[in-house]
Amino acid sequence: MPRLGVSVVVVLGLVLVGSGAWASRATVPVEGVWRRPDGGLVRVAGEGTAPFLMDFASRRRWRLEPREPGVWALAGSRPEARVTWRSPELVLTGVSAEPMVLAPVPVRTEAVTVSVEGAELPATLWLPGTGVPRNAVVLLHDVGRGSRAALEPYPALLVEHGFAVLTYDARGTGLGAQGRDGRATDATRESASATGAGPARGDVGRATDATRAPGLKTQGDDKRTTDAALQPGLKRPGDDGRIAEDALQPGLKAQGDDGLAAVRLLRQRLGPSVRVGLMGFGQGAWTAVNASARAPQEVGFLILISGGAGAVWKQEQHRMRNEGRKRGLTGPELVDLNEFLEVLHDARLYEDGGEARARKTLDFHFQRAKRKRWLAVTPLSSLGDVTVERFLERQRPLWREVLSYDAAEDLPRVRGPVLALLGERDETTPAALTARALNQGLSKRAGANDRAQVKVIEGADHALAVVTRESPAVETLSRQALDTLSAWLRALASQ
C-alpha cells in the first residue's frame, strides 16, 4: 500500500523575496503573488532560468529579461514595459497609462512530500493568507511537463479563489526524478511524451521546433536511440539493444494512484471535512478521470483542461497529423500517414498470442515507412533502425498502460461538479471529438450534485492561449477561458 507522508520544510507565510534577495536569485526576481491598484492579480515566478510575470487583468504572461540591478523588461512588450524592485515596492510600468505600484498578497506555501510506492515526490502546498480553506485541489500536469513549474500560473489563481492547492513533481521529472536516496533514477532520463505534451513555449511564447512533437526526431548522430526520444510508460534500451527493466515509467493508472495519494495528503493536512478535487492538464485530464472513477468518494470535483475523454491513441493521431501539416506534408502524404497510424494503433497487434501476426503486419509497413517523408512525425523517427520485435517490446506496455485508455466507462462513475475546457485550435487534443465524448459520458451520471460544464474555447490552443493582434509575441490566456474558470470556481466555493 502507498504510504502517505508530509515533511514540512518551509512553514513561512509570504511567497516574497526580500529586499536584498534578488541579487542572489537573479533568475527568480521578487517571486510572489502581487496585487495591482485596481485589484488585478499578478504572479511573478521563475521556470528554471526563465522568470516570468503573469498579469491576470490583461491575461498576458511575459518572460522577464534583466536590464539592470532590480529592473526587468517584459519581453515582447511594445513599447518596452518594465518591472522595478524599489524596496519594499514592486512597480510595473508600460502596461497601463500610469505606473502601478504592486502590493504583496499574503499567500502561504509549504514544501511537502507526497510519499507513494517506491518514490518520494517533492511538492508545494499553497494556502490562502488567512483562514482554513473549505476546498482544495491537486494539479495533474500534462505528460512530458511534469515539474511543478509547468503548472504556473494556476496555483496563484486558485488560491485567489480561496482554494488550497497541491502541486508536485511527477516521477521521472523535476526533483521527482530522484529516488529515495536522492540520486537520479534511470527513469529520469525518459522525458518525451507518449501522447504529445502541450507545446513548450519558446522565447516569444510560441511552440519551438524542438518541442512541437515530443519524442520525435531526437535520435543522435549515430542513429542510436537517445534518452530524450523515449516516452513515459516505456522501458529504456540498454547499450546491448535489450530493454532495461529498471527504467519503467508509471502508466496512466499509476499516475492516478499518485494523484490520489496527493488527495489523501491534502485531506490529512487540512482535515476530513475539506472537499478535494483534481485539476488535470492534457494527459493529466485523463489521469484525473481515471483516478476519480476509481475513488469517487475521495474526489469531490474535477477540472479538465485540454483532455479527459475519448481514446488516448486518438489524441496521439491528432497530434501527429498536425505535426505533419506543420512540416509541409501534402494531402496524399497526410492520407498515407493516417493509414499508417491506423495500423500502428490497431489493438490486435498488442494482444497476447498475436505476436506472429503483429510481426508480419508491422514488418511490411515499417519497410514501406522508411521511404516516406512522414516518417519524421511518427514514433519510428526516434528509434533509428529498430527491429519489429524490439518495437513491440517497447510499444506493447505503452499501448496497454496509456494509449488504449478510453474514459467512456469511467466518466459515468465520476462524482461531483465537472468543468472541462478545450481549445478550439488545439493541435494536440481534438477539441470537438473530446467535447462530444465528455458530454456523452457525463450525461449518464444521475447524482443531484453531478453538474457538468463542457466548453470549447474559441481560438484557443492546447494551453488555452490565444494570439492577439496587440501582442502576437506574448502568450495570452483566453479571456473566455479565464472568465469561465473563475466563474465556475466562485460558484463551487459558494456551495
Side-chain angles (χ1 to χ4, degrees):
M1 293 295 293
R3 289 193 304 112
L4 298 181
V6 52
S7 26
V8 178
V9 179
V10 180
V11 194
L12 190 59
L14 294 180
V15 189
L16 175 63
V17 176
S19 59
W22 69 268
S24 60
R25 298 182 63 193
T27 60
V28 189
V30 254
E31 177 163 341
V33 183
W34 302 82
R35 182 89 60 200
R36 293 168 35 140
D38 59 8
L41 197 68
V42 175
R43 168 67 172 150
V44 180
E47 291 182 342
T49 57
F52 71 89
L53 182 148
M54 174 72 193
D55 177 30
F56 286 92
S58 65
R59 299 169 288 108
R60 295 172 186 165
R61 172 173 169 153
W62 288 278
R63 182 171 50 84
L64 295 179
E65 296 179 340
R67 286 292 181 262
E68 56 187 84
V71 179
W72 296 268
L74 278 55
S77 58
R78 297 291 183 274
E80 185 177 88
R82 293 189 173 193
V83 60
T84 303
W85 174 242
R86 297 173 183 167
S87 179
E89 298 175 341
L90 193 64
V91 181
L92 188 58
T93 57
V95 174
S96 60
E98 298 293 333
M100 292 187 289
V101 178
L102 306 182
V105 177
V107 174
R108 295 174 289 162
T109 61
E110 297 178 8
V112 301
T113 299
V114 180
S115 297
V116 297
E117 190 70 34
E120 300 284 343
L121 307 180
T124 301
L125 174 61
W126 296 65
L127 297 166
T130 59
V132 178
R134 297 173 51 245
N135 297 287
V137 61
V138 174
L139 304 193
L140 304 178
H141 55 83
D142 205 345
V143 67
R145 307 188 73 187
S147 73
R148 287 162 286 176
L151 297 167
E152 292 278 6
Y154 286 96
L157 178 64
L158 291 159
V159 171
E160 173 77 354
H161 286 279
F163 286 68
V165 181
L166 186 68
T167 63
Y168 63 89
D169 292 341
R171 303 191 200 205
T173 58
L175 294 177
Q178 297 180 351
R180 292 184 183 273
D181 59 358
R183 293 179 297 178
T185 62
D186 286 335
T188 303
R189 295 181 287 269
E190 301 181 13
S191 59
S193 165
T195 62
R201 299 284 159 183
D203 287 347
V204 295
R206 298 171 180 165
T208 62
D209 290 338
T211 57
R212 283 195 179 111
L216 305 185
K217 297 194 77 175
T218 52
Q219 62 192 45
D221 293 337
D222 60 357
K223 305 304 180 184
R224 292 180 299 175
T225 304
T226 64
D227 291 331
L230 292 166
Q231 303 182 13
L234 307 183
K235 300 174 183 178
R236 181 174 178 269
D239 292 337
D240 58 358
R242 294 180 297 175
I243 302 297
E245 294 294 334
D246 60 350
L248 190 64
Q249 284 269 19
L252 191 143
K253 182 177 179 295
Q255 295 170 34
D257 290 339
D258 293 349
L260 289 174
V263 167
R264 292 161 191 152
L265 175 58
L266 266 180
R267 189 166 284 114
Q268 180 187 85
R269 174 67 172 79
L270 301 175
S273 64
V274 66
R275 175 170 50 182
V276 184
L278 294 172
M279 183 175 185
F281 300 80
Q283 186 179 303
W286 274 273
T287 302
V289 171
N290 176 269
S292 180
R294 290 189 288 116
Q297 72 285 358
E298 297 187 62
V299 181
F301 61 89
L302 286 182
I303 304 173
L304 309 175
I305 306 295
S306 301
V312 176
W313 63 265
K314 292 183 179 179
Q315 183 205 33
E316 177 70 346
Q317 288 195 0
H318 179 78
R319 180 188 66 78
M320 286 190 279
R321 286 193 296 267
N322 282 315
E323 179 64 20
R325 292 187 183 96
K326 289 180 183 178
R327 292 171 181 257
L329 295 182
T330 65
E333 285 177 315
L334 288 170
V335 171
D336 205 16
L337 168 64
N338 195 64
E339 291 176 355
F340 176 76
L341 295 178
E342 289 294 330
V343 171
L344 202 64
H345 295 133
D346 185 342
R348 293 172 295 181
L349 296 178
Y350 311 112
E351 294 174 348
D352 291 333
E355 287 82 1
R357 179 183 183 279
R359 286 196 297 270
K360 181 178 179 181
T361 300
L362 289 176
D363 184 63
F364 170 78
H365 287 281
F366 280 15
Q367 294 303 319
R368 182 171 172 272
K370 290 179 180 179
R371 303 188 297 271
K372 303 295 183 178
R373 285 204 308 157
W374 47 253
L375 176 68
V377 304
T378 72
L380 298 183
S381 68
S382 62
L383 298 176
D385 295 325
V386 64
T387 65
V388 170
E389 289 78 12
R390 184 176 163 197
F391 175 82
L392 284 170
E393 186 179 4
R394 169 192 182 276
Q395 189 77 355
R396 188 171 285 112
L398 172 62
W399 177 263
R400 293 174 178 175
E401 296 170 17
V402 179
L403 293 175
S404 64
Y405 176 68
D406 190 327
E409 293 184 2
D410 282 343
L411 283 168
R413 292 196 287 266
V414 169
R415 292 293 171 260
V418 176
L419 172 66
L421 300 177
L422 303 156
E424 178 190 33
R425 296 184 178 180
D426 191 334
E427 296 182 345
T428 299
T429 299
L433 179 69
T434 305
R436 184 164 56 250
L438 280 166
N439 281 316
Q440 289 175 349
L442 293 171
S443 67
K444 298 176 182 178
R445 305 188 303 161
N449 194 37
D450 290 344
R451 60 183 178 86
Q453 181 179 1
V454 179
K455 196 174 190 66
V456 177
I457 304 301
E458 181 180 354
D461 63 11
H462 191 66
L464 301 184
V466 294
V467 176
T468 64
R469 183 179 303 174
E470 300 82 6
S471 303
V474 178
E475 182 176 343
T476 304
L477 187 64
S478 161
R479 181 181 300 279
Q480 187 183 27
L482 185 59
D483 289 349
T484 302
L485 175 59
S486 296
W488 193 88
L489 291 171
R490 287 193 296 270
L492 184 67
S494 67
Q495 295 176 356

